[in-house]
């Protein structure tokens, strides 16, 4: 792989692109490239990772990235990839989402040095653009026939599309023009559903400035069975730990099926071709060790949540699957690990004086039906508190051993977990 375009192609990050893009990337050093992120929620999800990672790849190759938070276009809503109209967000919610996304984007891009990244909000220019000026300077260059032919619009014709969302393409074209004028931006990247919007901007710049600029789209990532990527039973997988904990995030990647893991390693990590080849060989020879999945989960979790987040995820994984003592994790991580486990509220009074009697806790959690059954379980070495064996029926569990002063985990045998929530009762 001798060029960045070659690497993007090998990593399967190239779907549609303007014909002269490889030459432009090779000759324009550095070039300015942008991707947009609409603030439909106060976080981004794993579906946004590919354009974000691609911006990072461009920056590491010496180019200048521009990350655009769509404070203006977010007021309209992008019809691309959607079967129905998006609900319109109120301005306060949208402003809060934009701020949250700007903070998130700032974690991944380098805003110092010769090719420092730039973070912009398109509300800055779209929010003050007079309607008549917009229609004269932008709308007059697009025919209805051309707009109807774009994929994002054509798919919605049967179910219906409002004039509001129909206009989105023109607003995104205006964004590209604005960034071309301000930053000499000559490349826009986005998901495969953005090709129509990207080419609209390319055409507007050609007409108004007489210049040739470029576009690149990234293929839609799907699971091996063709189902949608980035969803779990709990919903979308987010990039902020208040919505998806580092443990849940790590598990999402660790649970990747063998048929997809090598493609995900190429697309979502910075591992080299040689490293990925070694992991691909391990999938064929030692699939039960899940070495490729471990490398994928570790690399993406560290990129998104940092070394501390990765350590938290690995500690939580070792607790649930390795039987490690439950000590150095916080309450939020504990709740994420055991969100599917049955739980019981127990009164804080049980932990008074010398601490709680383990058999009382086991009975409260319905792990046993009587004190005699609890005694036999403990004497047989089968009862654990926070993954540490209860050594004697005379043991006591003090409140200091609770996580966050409130939570503890009882385990019966190898795999039967029960979460205790200690509550103060009148």
């Amino acid at each position: 792989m001798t060029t960045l375009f070659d690497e993007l192609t090998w990593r399967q990050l190239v779907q549609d692109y303007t014909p002269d893009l490889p030459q432009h990337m090779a000759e324009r050093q550095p070039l300015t490239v942008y991707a947009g992120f609409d603030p439909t929620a106060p976080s981004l999800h794993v579906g946004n990772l590919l354009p974000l990672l691609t911006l990072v790849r461009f920056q590491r190759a010496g180019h200048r990235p521009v990350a655009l938070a769509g404070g203006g276009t977010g007021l309209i809503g992008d019809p691309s990839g959607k079967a129905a109209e998006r609900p319109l967000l109120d301005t306060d919610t949208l402003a809060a989402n934009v701020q949250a996304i700007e903070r998130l984007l700032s974690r991944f891009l380098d805003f110092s040095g010769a090719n420092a990244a730039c973070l912009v909000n398109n509300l800055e220019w779209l929010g003050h653009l007079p309607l008549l000026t917009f229609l004269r300077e932008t709308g007059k260059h697009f025919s209805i026939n051309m707009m109807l032919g774009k994929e994002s619009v054509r798919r919605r014709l049967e179910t219906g599309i409002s004039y509001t969302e129909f206009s989105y393409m023109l607003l995104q074209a205006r964004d590209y023009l604005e960034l071309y004028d301000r930053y000499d931006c000559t490349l826009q990247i986005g998901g495969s559903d953005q090709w129509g919007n990207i080419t609209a901007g390319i055409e507007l710049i050609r007409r108004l400035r007489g210049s040739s600029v470029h576009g690149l789209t990234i293929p839609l990532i799907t699971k091996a069975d063709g189902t949608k990527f980035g969803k779990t039973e709990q919903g979308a997988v987010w990039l902020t730990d208040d919505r998806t904990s580092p443990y849940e995030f790590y598990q999402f990647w660790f649970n990747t099926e063998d048929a997809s893991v090598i493609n995900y390693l190429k697309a979502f990590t910075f591992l080299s071709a040689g490293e990925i080849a070694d992991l691909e060989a391990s999938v064929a020879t030692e699939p039960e060790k899940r070495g490729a999945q471990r490398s994928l989960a570790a690399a993406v979790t560290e990129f998104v949540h940092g070394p501390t987040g990765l350590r938290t995820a690995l500690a939580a994984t070792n607790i649930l699957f390795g039987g490690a003592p439950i000590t150095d994790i916080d309450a939020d991580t504990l709740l994420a690990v055991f969100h599917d486990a049955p739980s019981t509220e127990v009164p804080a009074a049980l932990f008074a004086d010398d601490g709680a009697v383990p058999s009382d806790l086991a009975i409260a959690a319905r792990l046993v039906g009587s004190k005699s059954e609890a005694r036999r379980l403990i004497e047989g070495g089968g009862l654990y508190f926070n993954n540490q064996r209860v050594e004697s029926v005379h043991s006591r569990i003090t409140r200091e051993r609770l996580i966050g002063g409130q939570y503890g985990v009882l385990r019966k045998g190898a795999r039967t977990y029960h979460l205790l929530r200690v509550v103060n009762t009148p």
Side-chain angles (χ1 to χ4, degrees):
M1 293 176 287
T2 58
T3 68
L4 176 59
F5 189 85
D6 291 336
E7 180 179 353
L8 295 177
T9 302
W10 174 76
R11 292 186 182 275
Q12 300 177 8
L13 297 175
V14 175
Q15 180 155 323
D16 298 301
Y17 61 95
T18 43
D20 296 329
L21 177 60
Q23 180 179 353
H24 180 69
M25 289 174 59
E27 295 177 352
R28 187 76 168 250
Q29 296 291 330
L31 62 80
T32 301
V33 52
Y34 101 89
F37 303 89
D38 270 349
T40 54
S43 179
L44 299 176
H45 51 75
V46 295
N48 303 119
L49 256 184
L50 279 188
L52 178 54
L53 277 163
T54 305
L55 279 185
V56 174
R57 294 185 199 281
F58 270 92
Q59 185 170 39
R60 292 186 180 187
H63 302 293
R64 184 187 188 193
V66 176
L68 182 147
T73 43
L75 290 167
I76 300 302
D78 184 359
S80 303
K82 297 296 179 182
E85 191 93 359
R86 294 173 185 261
L88 292 178
L89 299 176
D90 62 77
T91 54
D92 289 342
T93 299
L94 189 68
N97 289 353
V98 168
Q99 290 181 353
I101 288 174
E102 287 178 340
R103 288 194 298 271
L104 183 61
L105 292 171
S106 298
R107 285 170 29 194
F108 303 113
L109 297 166
D110 186 355
F111 290 83
S112 61
N115 62 328
C118 184
L119 186 61
V120 297
N121 181 350
N122 61 11
L123 185 62
E124 180 182 341
W125 53 85
L126 295 180
H128 305 287
L129 182 62
L131 174 62
L132 294 179
T133 301
F134 173 69
L135 292 175
R136 287 175 60 85
E137 294 183 356
T138 302
K140 71 187 285 295
H141 297 290
F142 295 90
S143 71
I144 294 296
N145 290 344
M146 181 276 287
M147 294 176 69
L148 290 174
K150 298 294 185 181
E151 182 76 8
S152 59
V153 173
R154 190 170 67 247
R155 287 189 173 187
R156 287 282 299 280
L157 291 180
E158 292 185 6
T159 58
I161 182 171
S162 70
Y163 182 75
T164 303
E165 288 197 350
F166 185 63
S167 303
Y168 184 94
M169 181 189 306
L170 304 188
L171 296 176
Q172 187 165 323
R174 186 79 189 196
D175 286 344
Y176 201 171
L177 175 66
E178 194 74 28
L179 296 179
Y180 173 79
D181 288 343
R182 292 185 179 209
Y183 304 106
D184 194 26
C185 179
T186 57
L187 174 60
Q188 181 183 174
I189 64 173
S192 58
D193 59 351
Q194 293 297 308
W195 184 242
N197 295 332
I198 291 173
T199 54
I202 292 171
E203 178 64 13
L204 182 63
I205 293 169
R206 185 189 69 80
R207 286 175 175 265
L208 292 182
R209 301 293 183 263
S211 299
S212 296
V213 295
H214 298 273
L216 167 70
T217 64
I218 303 162
L220 177 68
I221 298 293
T222 59
K223 297 181 181 179
D225 60 5
T227 57
K228 190 169 184 178
F229 169 80
K231 294 283 188 179
T232 67
E233 292 181 2
Q234 288 74 43
V237 179
W238 300 93
L239 304 188
T240 50
D241 56 14
D242 61 326
R243 288 180 159 240
T244 299
S245 72
Y247 164 74
E248 293 171 306
F249 190 83
Y250 179 93
Q251 288 299 315
F252 168 78
W253 298 100
F254 181 75
N255 289 325
T256 299
E257 61 271 32
D258 289 349
S260 298
V261 68
I262 300 304
N263 288 339
Y264 290 4
L265 281 164
K266 291 179 180 179
F268 291 101
T269 79
F270 293 92
L271 296 179
S272 67
E275 291 170 318
I276 293 176
D278 290 341
L279 291 169
E280 186 170 16
S282 76
V283 173
T285 59
E286 299 177 311
E288 71 284 355
K289 292 186 176 180
R290 299 184 68 78
Q293 282 86 349
R294 291 181 194 278
S295 295
L296 172 67
V300 185
T301 302
E302 185 168 16
F303 176 77
V304 172
H305 293 290
T308 300
L310 176 59
R311 284 195 298 270
T312 299
L314 292 175
T317 300
N318 288 335
I319 285 168
L320 191 57
F321 300 104
I326 301 173
T327 52
D328 298 327
I329 64 170
D330 57 33
D332 289 339
T333 301
L334 182 77
L335 294 176
V337 172
F338 294 102
H339 70 274
D340 284 335
S343 64
T344 298
E345 291 186 350
V346 297
L350 287 178
F351 291 85
D353 301 326
D354 294 334
V357 177
S359 57
D360 290 343
L361 297 179
I363 291 171
R366 297 184 177 85
L367 291 177
V368 295
S370 65
K371 287 208 171 190
S372 59
E373 186 181 349
R375 176 183 290 273
R376 290 193 297 271
L377 179 64
I378 293 170
E379 290 177 344
L383 184 66
Y384 299 77
F385 182 81
N386 285 355
N387 270 357
Q388 293 177 308
R389 179 180 281 117
V390 176
E391 298 293 346
S392 166
V393 293
H394 303 296
S395 300
R396 292 293 184 269
I397 298 170
T398 63
R399 191 154 189 173
E400 287 72 25
R401 293 179 62 187
L402 297 174
I403 303 300
Q406 186 180 8
Y407 301 101
V409 177
L410 280 180
R411 193 181 97 211
K412 178 183 177 181
R415 282 286 178 263
T416 303
Y417 289 93
H418 198 99
L419 180 67
L420 300 178
R421 302 171 185 264
V422 179
V423 296
N424 293 310
T425 55

